[in-house]
């Protein structure tokens, strides 16, 4: 180029060329007539008014039922990341149109089975990408944080169109390997088992639905559900105790189950720790406490505050034993 063009002008010209080429090919197939091709190509005055949409892209109220189904089916086509992205982009394409109609869900296929060992769940990866398209950076980060907290603390899968396996697990992590391994161990199935695949398909549907719920709330199309405070104390068994301590993001609440004088089980009931960072403590600290029968243990690497919060919450619960 002889002159430096702005990015917008460059993109306009690029899109014009690509659009004209696509239109040329389509018209040729339909008619095989060069005159028909020429008559269908917009003139310069028309294409000059084509606007590249600014970020964030337009968002309209979406149907979670449709996206959930498409995400489930998409999982079996090209994995969880692709499935979620396809569910969300299809809905956005139907409700909004351009530019969502020209974003290929195949670009998310690299998140199939996560992004490698010890990495983010692919279903979340697909959701994160689409959230970033229709939300400003600060809003995007908040919605992603809410989505990750929900994923870490919810019994999944919820969506099971081909029948339930009878097993739902709480990942306590956004890590793909941890999430799926926990399910396989609980369900006693192998990775290639159809039950495991249906689980990950259902989880893809769940993530697509939750993403739309959060986006619809953010844009004012729905209201956030306010759940009444549950009276946990009234539902405890004679050998169960609730403990609480302050974590990095707020209170961490646990339930400790005793077998005589021994700690037999520790459940993290609620928290606001950072997914993938603080939540690493939930993957190792409870089991370490049970193994040593003590809250005086080493903290999880990179999650010191969250680790100490779990230990303190367990100690709080133990202080109620025998009372």
């Amino acid at each position: 180029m002889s002159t430096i063009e702005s990015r917008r002008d460059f993109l306009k010209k690029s899109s014009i060329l690509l659009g004209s080429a696509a239109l040329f090919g389509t018209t040729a197939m339909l008619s095989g007539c060069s005159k028909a091709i020429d008559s269908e190509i917009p003139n310069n005055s028309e294409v000059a008014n084509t606007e590249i949409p600014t970020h964030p892209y337009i968002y309209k109220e979406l149907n979670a039922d449709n996206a959930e189904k498409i995400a489930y089916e998409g999982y079996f086509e090209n994995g969880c990341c692709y499935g979620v992205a396809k569910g969300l982009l299809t809905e956005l394409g139907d409700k909004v149109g351009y530019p969502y109609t020209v974003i290929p869900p195949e670009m998310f296929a690299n998140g199939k089975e996560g992004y490698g060992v010890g990495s983010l769940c692919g279903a979340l990866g697909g959701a994160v990408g689409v959230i970033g398209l229709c939300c400003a950076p600060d809003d995007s980060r908040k919605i992603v944080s809410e989505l990750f907290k929900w994923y870490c603390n919810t019994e999944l899968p919820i969506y099971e169109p081909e029948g339930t396996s009878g097993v739902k697990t709480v990942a306590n992590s956004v890590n793909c390997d941890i999430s799926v391994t926990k399910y396989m161990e609980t369900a006693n199935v192998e990775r290639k088992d159809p039950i495991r695949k249906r689980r990950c398909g259902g989880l893809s549907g769940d993530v697509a639905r939750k993403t739309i719920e959060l986006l619809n709330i953010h844009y004012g199309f729905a209201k956030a559900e306010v759940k009444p405070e549950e009276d946990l104390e009234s539902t405890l068994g004679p050998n169960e105790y609730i403990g609480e301590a302050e974590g990095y993001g707020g209170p961490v609440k646990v339930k400790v189950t005793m077998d005589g004088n021994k700690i037999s089980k520790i459940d993290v009931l609620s928290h606001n720790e950072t997914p993938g960072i603080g939540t690493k403590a939930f993957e190792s600290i409870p089991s370490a406490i049970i193994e040593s029968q003590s809250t005086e243990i080493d903290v999880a690497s990179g999650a010191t505050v969250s680790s100490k919060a779990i230990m303190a919450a367990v100690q709080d619960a133990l202080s109620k034993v025998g009372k």
Side-chain angles (χ1 to χ4, degrees):
M1 298 181 199
S2 59
T3 60
I4 299 175
E5 298 178 306
S6 70
R7 179 176 178 274
R8 179 179 291 276
D9 289 339
F10 178 75
L11 288 173
K12 278 184 181 179
K13 292 181 180 179
S14 298
S15 65
I16 290 167
L17 291 172
L18 290 171
S20 298
L23 183 58
F24 182 95
T26 302
T27 309
M29 286 190 294
L30 291 174
S31 66
C33 175
S34 60
K35 290 183 179 179
I37 294 170
D38 293 337
S39 67
E40 293 295 330
I41 298 177
N43 60 43
N44 289 338
S45 63
E46 290 174 331
V47 297
N49 293 323
T50 301
E51 281 292 327
I52 303 298
T54 57
H55 183 268
Y57 295 161
I58 293 172
Y59 182 85
K60 293 184 179 180
E61 184 176 10
L62 304 185
N63 186 315
D65 291 340
N66 291 342
E68 180 181 61
K69 182 176 184 294
I70 294 169
Y72 180 85
E73 295 170 349
Y75 164 79
F76 293 96
E77 296 172 18
N78 227 332
C80 54
C81 189
Y82 167 87
V84 172
K86 183 178 181 180
L88 298 174
L89 289 172
T90 299
E91 264 297 288
L92 285 163
D94 289 345
K95 300 298 191 301
V96 179
Y98 179 81
Y100 298 108
T101 50
V102 296
I103 300 173
E106 285 79 10
M107 66 181 286
F108 294 91
N110 57 7
K112 184 177 182 180
E113 297 183 355
Y115 298 90
V117 177
S119 66
L120 180 70
C121 168
L124 292 175
V128 167
V130 177
I131 290 170
L133 292 174
C134 56
C135 293
D138 286 346
D139 293 332
S140 179
R141 282 188 282 268
K142 290 176 183 177
I143 293 171
V144 166
S145 179
E146 285 299 311
L147 178 65
F148 282 16
K149 288 176 184 176
W150 165 84
Y151 181 96
C152 288
N153 294 289
T154 305
E155 288 190 335
L156 300 173
I158 300 169
Y159 184 62
E160 297 181 287
E162 296 186 74
T164 178
S165 66
V167 175
K168 299 178 187 293
T169 53
V170 179
N172 279 327
S173 171
V174 295
N175 183 294
C176 171
D177 187 57
I178 291 172
S179 174
V180 73
T181 298
K182 190 169 186 179
Y183 178 84
M184 290 190 297
E185 289 176 349
T186 304
N188 193 27
V189 296
E190 300 295 328
R191 184 173 289 273
K192 293 183 179 181
D193 195 298
I195 291 176
R196 197 282 303 170
K197 294 180 180 179
R198 290 200 298 269
R199 175 264 182 187
C200 288
L203 184 143
S204 299
D206 294 336
V207 170
R209 169 176 285 280
K210 185 62 179 181
T211 301
I212 287 178
E213 290 175 355
L214 291 172
L215 288 171
N216 282 345
I217 290 169
H218 173 70
Y219 279 99
F221 296 113
K223 291 184 178 180
E225 181 183 359
V226 179
K227 295 183 179 181
E229 192 69 28
E230 184 180 0
D231 182 9
L232 293 172
E233 301 292 342
S234 65
T235 61
L236 292 175
N239 60 336
E240 297 176 336
Y241 304 89
I242 299 294
E244 187 174 320
E246 194 67 19
Y248 183 83
V252 174
K253 187 175 290 187
V254 303
K255 180 175 72 174
V256 176
T257 303
M258 302 295 292
D259 182 8
N261 294 323
K262 291 187 175 182
I263 303 170
S264 62
K265 187 179 181 183
I266 299 172
D267 296 302
V268 178
L269 301 178
S270 63
H271 69 87
N272 286 297
E273 305 305 273
T274 306
I277 302 176
T279 53
K280 290 194 297 184
F282 304 139
E283 300 160 14
S284 59
I285 298 300
S287 58
I289 291 175
I290 293 171
E291 183 178 353
S292 64
Q293 290 296 304
S294 170
T295 56
E296 298 295 325
I297 58 173
D298 292 335
V299 299
S301 177
T304 300
V305 176
S306 299
S307 298
K308 290 183 177 180
I310 297 173
M311 297 176 202
V314 171
Q315 192 60 49
D316 181 47
L318 293 175
S319 69
K320 302 171 185 178
V321 176
K323 294 184 179 179

Coordinates of all heavy atoms in Angstrom, one line a residue, residues 263 285-298:
I263 N -12.5 -38.2 61.7 CA -13.1 -37.5 60.6 C -13.2 -38.4 59.4 O -12.2 -39.0 58.9 CB -12.2 -36.3 60.2 CG1 -11.9 -35.4 61.3 CG2 -12.8 -35.5 59.0 CD1 -10.9 -34.3 61.1
I285 N -6.8 -30.4 50.2 CA -6.8 -30.2 51.6 C -7.8 -31.1 52.4 O -7.4 -31.7 53.4 CB -7.1 -28.7 51.9 CG1 -6.0 -27.8 51.3 CG2 -7.2 -28.5 53.4 CD1 -4.6 -28.1 51.9
P286 N -9.1 -31.2 51.9 CA -10.0 -32.1 52.7 C -9.4 -33.5 52.8 O -9.5 -34.1 53.9 CB -11.3 -32.1 51.9 CG -11.2 -30.7 51.2 CD -9.8 -30.5 50.9
S287 N -8.9 -34.1 51.7 CA -8.4 -35.5 51.8 C -7.2 -35.6 52.7 O -7.0 -36.6 53.4 CB -8.1 -36.0 50.4 OG -7.2 -35.2 49.7
A288 N -6.3 -34.5 52.6 CA -5.1 -34.5 53.5 C -5.5 -34.5 54.9 O -4.8 -35.1 55.8 CB -4.2 -33.3 53.1
I289 N -6.5 -33.7 55.3 CA -7.0 -33.6 56.7 C -7.5 -35.0 57.1 O -7.2 -35.4 58.3 CB -8.1 -32.5 56.8 CG1 -7.5 -31.1 56.6 CG2 -8.7 -32.6 58.2 CD1 -8.5 -30.0 56.6
I290 N -8.3 -35.6 56.3 CA -8.8 -36.9 56.7 C -7.7 -37.9 56.8 O -7.7 -38.7 57.8 CB -9.8 -37.4 55.6 CG1 -11.0 -36.5 55.6 CG2 -10.2 -38.8 55.8 CD1 -12.0 -36.7 54.4
E291 N -6.7 -37.9 55.9 CA -5.6 -38.9 56.0 C -4.8 -38.7 57.3 O -4.4 -39.6 57.9 CB -4.7 -38.7 54.8 CG -3.6 -39.7 54.7 CD -2.7 -39.6 53.5 OE1 -3.1 -38.8 52.6 OE2 -1.7 -40.3 53.4
S292 N -4.5 -37.4 57.6 CA -3.7 -37.2 58.8 C -4.5 -37.0 60.1 O -3.9 -37.0 61.2 CB -2.9 -35.9 58.6 OG -3.7 -34.8 58.5
Q293 N -5.8 -36.9 59.9 CA -6.7 -36.7 61.1 C -6.3 -35.5 61.9 O -6.3 -35.4 63.1 CB -6.8 -37.9 62.0 CG -7.5 -39.1 61.4 CD -9.0 -38.8 61.1 OE1 -9.7 -38.5 62.0 NE2 -9.4 -39.0 59.9
S294 N -5.9 -34.4 61.1 CA -5.4 -33.2 61.8 C -5.6 -32.1 60.8 O -5.5 -32.2 59.5 CB -3.9 -33.3 62.1 OG -3.4 -32.1 62.5
T295 N -5.8 -30.9 61.3 CA -5.8 -29.7 60.5 C -4.5 -29.0 60.3 O -4.3 -28.0 59.7 CB -6.9 -28.7 61.0 OG1 -6.5 -28.4 62.4 CG2 -8.3 -29.2 61.0
E296 N -3.5 -29.6 61.0 CA -2.1 -29.1 60.9 C -1.4 -29.8 59.7 O -0.6 -30.7 59.9 CB -1.3 -29.3 62.2 CG -2.0 -28.6 63.4 CD -1.9 -27.1 63.2 OE1 -0.9 -26.6 62.7 OE2 -2.8 -26.4 63.7
I297 N -1.6 -29.3 58.5 CA -1.1 -29.9 57.3 C -0.5 -28.8 56.4 O -0.7 -27.6 56.6 CB -2.1 -30.7 56.5 CG1 -3.3 -29.8 56.1 CG2 -2.6 -31.9 57.4 CD1 -4.3 -30.5 55.2
D298 N 0.2 -29.3 55.4 CA 0.8 -28.3 54.4 C -0.3 -27.7 53.5 O -1.3 -28.4 53.2 CB 1.8 -29.0 53.5 CG 3.0 -29.4 54.3 OD1 3.3 -28.8 55.3 OD2 3.7 -30.4 53.8

